[in-house]
């Protein structure tokens, strides 16, 4: 009877609701000068692997054990380098005309179809992106400057030797900013996730009193709950939520730090959420919202258990493969996916309420402390190709 | 060999052909301040039902026997209320953060995750739309003012106690105005529908002389035929159409009023067509073109028979289910659907001819007599949310 | 993991890379005042056949052995004439209201539903396009002026009585200009097609020295190779390409003219490529890039063998059906299709190299010598309907 036409109901990239935070408002496709997780190491073999991040097409190459990332575009006619052939170690060769690039610095080392003395060699360079391979994950620096150490952008306990990481990368519809806001949003979990299968035996509180406090000023904020009300009596609605004998409240995890991640839910730049000691006491959940384009992001979810015991490692991996991936990362967080998609599609003004101070604290932190430039909305971003020299092709010698 | 790309061949919402009728031209998504049929009563059960009308997303709710319609958008973050849960009688609760609205007036009566004393309660209201449930149909008033009585917008015999209504709502591609013009267009039936299965044994006239006369000035126009020419001799073409022994002319129905609807084809605001005593003498056809967005409309078709005899009622329903729905409302009117879609997609100027005075009479009537404001073309329309008060969410108390 | 959204990554119709050639830059949808091949004669039977060319919808009609082409749009309400019925020889009748047009000149000869004395008859005309049926192909003139003789736009040996033509029309994604540039581009064949199945036993040279010389000034250019280097030693890359015992070089065909087409690869306006004596000594390949809209073209490929021997004709047809169509026109040229599509989708600047003087020579020739006006980018083009007279439809007499 009715129909939603996705072509007609798209939020404009810059929303009136975000005007109070102009940098955040402009960051439709993300924030430059940060490290982002791109995929698991095991996802990159001999085949080139293209990924779009922050509006830019990037191709990953594994070469003699090391990993490199280049702009996925041959500067000649714009053909993606993902189709490149491997003619010679340390290089990739564009499939169209045989332009051959050094994967480590993007320099054109040969234009095969123009002979060994081709005058364009050495005059063209494909932009490259620093890559770090740590904890079985490929991290990429997208920025204009020299990269900071990876440790500045990733929680330290995540990089510890005894951190055992399982997880899932998925491409999700919805702007990365609304994904981040959803993750840190104090109120929604207590209503939206009430029907999540993972919480079948858990009584969620009706409401809480929460303050947003910094962990590291300008980089991290966390939520501190000062009151947790399990049930209350509302005008009109009456007593809510109903107590069920099979549901038990469990707030103990907020007060016992059983993991190196500490306690609480924290959000940091450039869009990394930590839910410490959740969904059980000895693991912590991390998620990154890596911008892809205006309307989609790479949603990277991880569960970490800190242990050196081989048995505990095995239990951690098994639990994830058997049920945590499905119940938590898929069904529970799938409820959020629908919300993030709808907030992105909506074109009306927002009307915030008291618990949204978690959202506005995040917006303020981005606005004040962001390291790089916001990437505005547009189809795709072609990075400026470094101009080294010119060659005249119009003359017919 | 060739391909029509629907993304590239779209008529601009405002067509140069309609410039002589500026209000009509502007009414790309319809006319406000009218009653429109939205669905059969039986189509709305316990589940919320979303429908887009006049560019606005509306959700229908049945609550203790009564039906209500609200803007299908939570004012908080724009999530559709169609996903709402039913926590408490008389209210619906947005699935994202538990904002709870009184279905009868749209007022926010609780923000569950913010506790019973949430300061936003009473300060937010979702726009609501008056609903009438009459003759097994849900009618909705889309407008700014107090609704007029339903009887002002629906033909009186349609609402009579002895009117037995069968029919079909379907979402159809094409702008509502071209659907209305097609319905009242004098000439097309005599050519386009010549191949309709329903008219296999009917000889259609070659041409007729028709005048457009008002029923109620400014609200209704009807067609009066003064001459019906069964066959004629044309330059170039010769004798047309060919007589076939199995096809017989039948014009008697134009002169015998066997139903309370009288005779003839009539069109009224806001887009309701009546074809009296058609396709047989004791029933009349009605159709509404309810705007959905720029390129689609809800096409509501009804066949009415006036009787109190249980047997005649049964016959009426059976004929519809057995063949009239398929032959008339589906195949016959499906020929029109393709035309309306193509007129909407076209981007060139129109060139009208003599029989199109039916079309221009309708355009003039809309232009002069329309009650409400035209709804211009755009993705979707977010009604102004009533501002009752403000709440500061930026402070971190 | 990643996704290319075709809606978001579209090259703007006018590219910064083409600014040096403003007419060529503007010719997004082609060049008017030329003859174009539209389909094989056998593809047009009794059914009307719509084709979009140069942004214009055209319908082909076969009538008593002759072929006509009309604008595929009834001037009344814009319904495509492809749906027309055939009421009377020499005419087609629009399915909506029975407007009947003479196929030879597009004039409205009857408006059936308005009677024999309809005042609009003789006052409306559908634009028509001259058609020539030669060598089993339908050629259409798209232009404003009187057509030139077909011989001016088609290579003369292609039209010879002893030319036996086989081939394939297909609709291909990608702008026609990048298709033409790809066809004449000196360098890509020696790298991209290295993996084509058809060249399994052929050693392609590493690079060549090529000059672009005119055949007919302003109409034709051809490539002359002065050096062919089979293998070379490159910095970084080393010896390339590797010799294989099963691959043998074959450059003899460049120096022996065994067909009336002579030797070499030549390109002419409005986008017709000839590869003489290829893929074997006694046939020549021709291809046209017929613009359809901004992002697609009709790719017409032909293989010609000049002979009057029935046996040789049979061999020519059989070889094409058995393997040449699949190995050459489908797999080999399918490698190009992907490149042309990506160059069209790309939105960055180009960076040409020495062998691209073939491309720039073509751009210069179009810029200086083009006969008609370029057709700029837009959804579709509605040709100006000739205004013969006016009729007032607003009065209700």
């Amino acid at each position: 009877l009715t129909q939603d036409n996705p072509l007609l109901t798209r939020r404009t990239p810059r929303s009136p609701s975000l005007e109070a935070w102009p940098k955040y408002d402009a960051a439709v496709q993300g924030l430059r000068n940060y490290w982002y997780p791109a995929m698991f190491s095991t996802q990159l073999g001999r085949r080139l692997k293209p990924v779009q991040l922050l509006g830019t097409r990037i191709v990953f190459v594994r070469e003699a054990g090391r990993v490199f990332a280049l702009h996925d575009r041959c500067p000649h006619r714009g053909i993606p380098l993902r189709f490149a052939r491997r003619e010679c170690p340390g290089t990739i060769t564009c499939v169209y005309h045989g332009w051959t690039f050094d994967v480590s610095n993007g320099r054109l080392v040969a234009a095969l179809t123009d002979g060994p003395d081709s005058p364009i060699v050495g005059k063209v360079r494909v932009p490259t992106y620093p890559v770090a391979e740590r904890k079985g994950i490929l991290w990429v620096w997208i920025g204009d400057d020299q990269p900071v150490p990876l440790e500045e952008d990733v929680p330290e306990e995540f990089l510890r030797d005894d951190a055992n990481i399982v997880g899932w990368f998925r491409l999700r519809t919805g702007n990365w900013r609304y994904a981040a806001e959803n993750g840190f949003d104090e109120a929604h979990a207590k209503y939206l996730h009430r029907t999540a299968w993972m919480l079948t035996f858990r009584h969620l509180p009706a409401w809480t009193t929460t303050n947003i406090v910094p962990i590291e000023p300008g980089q991290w904020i966390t939520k501190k709950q000062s009151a947790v009300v399990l049930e209350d009596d509302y005008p009109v609605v009456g007593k809510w939520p109903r107590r069920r004998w099979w549901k038990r409240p469990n707030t103990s995890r907020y007060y016992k730090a059983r993991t190196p991640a500490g306690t609480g839910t924290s959000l940091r730049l450039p869009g990394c959420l930590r839910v410490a000691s959740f969904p059980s006491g000895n693991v912590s959940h991390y998620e990154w919202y890596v911008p892809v384009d205006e309307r989609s992001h790479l949603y990277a979810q991880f569960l970490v258990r800190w242990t050196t015991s081989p048995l505990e490692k095995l239990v951690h991996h098994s639990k994830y493969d058997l049920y945590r991936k499905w119940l938590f990362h898929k069904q529970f967080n799938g409820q959020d996916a629908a919300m993030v998609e709808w907030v992105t599609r909506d074109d009306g003004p927002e009307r915030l309420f008291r618990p949204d101070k978690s959202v506005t604290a995040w917006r303020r932190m981005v606005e004040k402390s962001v390291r790089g430039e916001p990437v505005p909305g547009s189809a795709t971003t072609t990075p400026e190709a470094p101009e080294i020299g010119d060659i005249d092709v119009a003359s017919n010698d």
Side-chain angles (χ1 to χ4, degrees), chain A residues 126-321:
Chain A
V126 173
T128 54
Y129 302 89
V131 176
E133 195 168 2
R134 292 279 293 279
K135 303 303 299 176
I137 293 165
L138 299 183
W139 307 86
V140 61
W141 169 266
I142 299 180
D144 318 289
D145 311 323
Q146 275 301 305
V148 302
L150 181 67
E151 289 75 7
E152 284 192 27
D153 284 353
V154 180
E156 62 167 332
E157 77 281 4
F158 191 91
L159 297 173
R160 272 172 49 165
D161 285 346
D162 62 345
N164 296 279
I165 299 172
V166 291
W168 187 32
F169 282 84
R170 71 179 279 215
L171 183 69
R172 217 166 62 164
T173 305
N175 189 271
W176 75 278
R177 293 170 300 181
Y178 304 123
E181 294 179 1
N182 173 80
F184 195 59
D185 166 352
E186 172 62 14
H188 86 280
K190 287 192 286 293
Y191 195 75
L192 175 69
H193 294 310
R194 204 163 279 279
T195 57
W197 301 335
M198 195 175 80
L199 303 182
T200 305
F201 303 106
R202 182 74 59 89
H203 178 89
L204 290 179
W207 61 285
T208 55
T209 303
T210 302
N211 279 334
I212 311 302
V213 296
I215 298 180
E216 292 174 33
Q219 294 303 317
W220 279 84
I221 45 177
T222 194
K223 293 191 281 196
K224 292 283 175 204
Q225 289 173 327
S226 54
V228 175
V229 181
L230 292 183
E231 189 188 28
D232 213 331
D233 198 357
Y234 290 77
V236 181
V237 174
K239 276 206 164 34
W240 184 88
R242 293 179 66 176
R243 302 298 295 263
R244 305 289 188 180
W245 62 262
W246 65 84
K247 287 180 177 286
R248 54 198 175 81
N250 184 349
T251 58
S252 59
R253 64 184 170 83
Y254 292 113
Y255 306 105
K256 258 190 268 170
R258 294 170 58 190
T259 73
T263 56
T265 299
S266 316
L267 182 61
R268 51 172 295 163
L269 283 160
C272 162
L273 184 83
R274 178 178 68 196
V275 189
S277 307
F278 183 84
S280 83
N282 56 13
V283 298
S284 290
H285 167 80
Y286 293 81
E287 62 186 31
W288 270 262
Y289 320 101
V290 188
V292 169
D293 60 20
E294 297 178 1
R295 301 183 185 286
S296 56
H297 61 284
L298 198 56
Y299 182 46
Q301 302 178 81
F302 306 104
L303 270 190
V304 184
R305 177 163 185 184
W306 291 265
T307 178
T308 54
S309 148
L311 181 65
E312 285 180 348
K313 285 183 194 178
L314 179 67
V315 168
H316 177 54
H317 278 80
S318 301
K319 279 184 172 177
Y320 189 72
D321 292 342

Side-chain angles (χ1 to χ4, degrees), chain A residues 1-5:
Chain A
L1 195 59
T2 192
Q3 188 190 46
D4 274 298
N5 185 336

Side-chain angles (χ1 to χ4, degrees), chain A residues 4-11 295 342 344-347:
Chain A
D4 274 298
N5 185 336
L7 293 174
L8 294 182
T9 54
R10 306 189 130 191
R11 191 185 196 114
R295 301 183 185 286
W342 275 102
T344 302
R345 291 176 60 176
D346 183 64
D347 57 0

